Amino acid sequence: MSRTPSISYYVAMPGGELPLNDEVARTLLPMERSGRERPAEASVTFGGYFQSLGKMLSDNHFALPLAGVRHQLGEDAQADQVREWRVVAEKHGAFYHPARVEAVTDRGTALIAANVALSDSGIAAASREFEVLDSLGRGFSRSFTPAAYGKGRAPCLLSQGGVVEAEAFFCQWYEGYCEFHLSCNPASQAQEIVVWDNAHGHFFMKPCQAAALYEKAAAILAYYYDPGDFRQIFPWHHAAGDFVVKALQDDLDVRLITVRQYQGMLEAEGDTDPETRLEAALYFLVNLTMHMRLDRIDGVGDLAWADGASVYPTLRGAFQGFALRGLDAGQDPEFAAALLGICREMPREYWEELCFQLVAASSPQSPDRPFLLTRGGEHAQALVEAFFKSRKDPFFVDKGAVLL
């Protein structure tokens, strides 16, 4: 006879996981980082949140999370093989309240992310992101973004009565991967990258680790860039924690956990001519390298700008991503090498103009815009120096992106 596995609920705290009790159940969910409250969502308690999420999990004999269990532990996995479901509320952002769902079985534990949206804007964002993740998962032979498992919807009770509709999309959870940000290292009094490792303690990266992080993040974005129709993953932002890193014994691994949009920054009509393809690729590189340097201090403070040393590993990673995509897609195998040759010959003034045009075209309401407008000249010089350095050092491997 089949049995219904139990679902236990916890809230992630700095000192560990706090089990759900009556007091926690009555506690209101934290709002987004800016503190701006939204009327309905501001009245959701942890009790209402977990009750809604529990219903989405258990509907149709746990069909939604079971898709993740089968993806991670084997297609023959069945719901009655799960001894326990553990749900941990992890963080609270502008659109989602993500939870980590653990399916405990005899063959291992599957880890699933449940990105719960409680506002109209959050639900719209969740629907878009699920579709993008699902499309990327089906359209590429390799994956550097979470596998998409499905969407659910359920009513969520409010603390003062009434309900709000909750929607969640379920996807792969990257265990052991941590958020990172630019921060001031008290030991060196210098701006460095701090990794928020809650399991083993926060730590500042060494320069070689920071270079590898920028290189791998750039390679991921370039791998998904389509030189034919200009589709790319954007927007993304380090301040939002879109990339995560996992420190390994002698290396590190990087993943992109949030994909809000996948479309072209320039419009492509039919077969694009070489000049338009070149222009689009140059804008992509400028946008990628500028935003790779952009963050907020500790994720929430003032806007921060990584030093120029980050540009070279960013470009190195970008060209490795280009090369790998060309091999996997069987298209434009010479795209990366041809583009690199052109970039090496471009003068500083041209790069500066591209930087200015790109930032000037962004939304006037963007807080990043005035910050970036004052840094175009310095960034253009960093690009020129990085491409000059690439003449001496191997910039990418012809047979693929070894760093991925």
Side-chain angles (χ1 to χ4, degrees):
M1 185 166 78
S2 64
R3 57 182 175 80
T4 301
S6 63
I7 305 178
S8 53
Y9 301 98
Y10 305 85
V11 177
M13 303 292 286
E17 296 172 0
L18 181 66
L20 181 66
N21 55 32
D22 289 343
E23 182 180 355
V24 174
R26 292 191 297 269
T27 303
L28 295 175
L29 290 183
M31 289 294 97
E32 62 181 288
R33 296 179 181 184
S34 68
R36 177 174 57 86
E37 292 192 356
R38 291 152 291 186
E41 188 176 352
S43 300
V44 175
T45 63
F46 276 104
Y49 167 84
F50 282 131
Q51 184 180 44
S52 176
L53 181 51
K55 185 178 187 313
M56 287 186 260
L57 287 170
S58 59
D59 272 353
N60 299 315
H61 306 288
F62 292 85
L64 277 173
L66 191 58
V69 175
R70 288 172 172 162
H71 172 254
Q72 297 177 36
L73 301 181
E75 290 299 323
D76 60 336
Q78 301 297 321
D80 60 6
Q81 294 173 330
V82 179
R83 298 198 309 270
E84 180 189 7
W85 295 94
R86 299 182 78 256
V87 181
V88 184
E90 285 285 347
K91 56 191 291 189
H92 308 275
F95 293 115
Y96 312 138
H97 299 267
R100 182 179 80 251
V101 179
E102 303 176 1
V104 183
T105 77
D106 289 336
R107 65 174 70 177
T109 299
L111 300 174
I112 301 158
N115 294 294
V116 183
L118 297 163
S119 63
D120 290 343
S121 59
I123 289 173
S127 296
R128 287 194 303 271
E129 184 162 357
F130 174 79
E131 296 302 328
V132 173
L133 286 176
D134 186 54
S135 175
L136 292 179
R138 296 174 186 276
F140 289 82
S141 59
R142 305 170 197 246
S143 179
F144 306 105
T145 60
Y149 299 140
K151 292 190 298 181
R153 184 180 279 253
C156 180
L157 297 176
L158 301 176
S159 61
Q160 303 300 323
V163 296
V164 64
E165 196 70 16
E167 183 171 304
F169 73 89
F170 296 81
C171 63
Q172 183 178 6
W173 177 276
Y174 289 125
E175 179 65 7
Y177 288 76
C178 308
E179 194 169 332
F180 60 87
H181 293 288
L182 290 173
S183 182
C184 179
N185 187 342
S188 64
Q189 292 299 306
Q191 180 179 270
E192 299 172 12
I193 294 177
V194 64
V195 178
W196 292 356
D197 190 338
N198 294 325
H200 305 98
H202 297 191
F203 66 93
F204 283 90
M205 283 187 156
K206 300 174 184 177
C208 61
Q209 291 176 308
L213 185 153
Y214 286 126
E215 191 164 7
K216 294 191 177 188
I220 290 170
L221 293 169
Y223 175 73
Y224 288 111
Y225 175 71
D226 191 322
D229 60 18
F230 319 141
R231 284 181 299 169
Q232 60 188 276
I233 293 173
F234 193 77
W236 56 271
H237 207 301
H238 286 315
D242 292 342
F243 281 97
V244 291
V245 63
K246 183 176 185 178
L248 306 173
Q249 185 171 0
D250 299 313
D251 196 7
L252 54 83
D253 193 35
V254 177
R255 288 291 183 268
L256 179 62
I257 59 171
T258 302
V259 184
R260 300 176 185 85
Q261 191 169 276
Y262 185 63
Q263 62 182 44
M265 291 182 70
L266 297 179
E267 226 175 277
E269 298 180 3
D271 292 333
T272 52
D273 60 85
E275 185 176 344
T276 303
R277 286 158 61 87
L278 171 62
E279 180 185 19
L282 292 175
Y283 276 120
F284 171 79
L285 281 176
V286 169
N287 191 58
L288 168 62
T289 54
M290 291 192 83
H291 281 85
M292 196 61 69
R293 300 179 69 179
L294 184 65
D295 198 353
R296 287 186 177 275
I297 294 293
D298 296 317
V300 295
D302 293 337
L303 286 168
W305 186 243
D307 64 41
S310 64
V311 175
Y312 181 80
T314 296
L315 286 173
R316 178 179 163 88
F319 279 90
Q320 290 185 7
F322 288 150
L324 182 60
R325 181 190 173 93
L327 289 172
D328 282 2
Q331 301 171 352
D332 303 310
E334 304 303 323
F335 169 76
L339 179 62
L340 178 57
I342 293 170
C343 289
R344 282 172 170 163
E345 302 301 325
M346 285 176 53
R348 177 189 180 279
E349 293 74 20
Y350 194 93
W351 286 116
E352 185 172 1
E353 181 63 21
L354 286 178
C355 291
F356 176 79
Q357 290 176 359
L358 185 74
V359 178
S362 63
S363 169
Q365 284 73 46
S366 170
D368 300 341
R369 191 173 187 267
F371 184 88
L372 292 175
L373 279 173
T374 64
R375 287 162 172 79
E378 181 266 333
H379 189 67
Q381 182 62 34
L383 287 169
V384 171
E385 291 175 4
F387 280 118
F388 180 79
K389 182 180 178 181
S390 77
R391 297 173 182 269
K392 300 178 181 179
D393 296 337
F395 210 67
F396 66 91
V397 179
D398 291 335
K399 293 186 178 180
V402 293
L403 292 181
L404 287 178

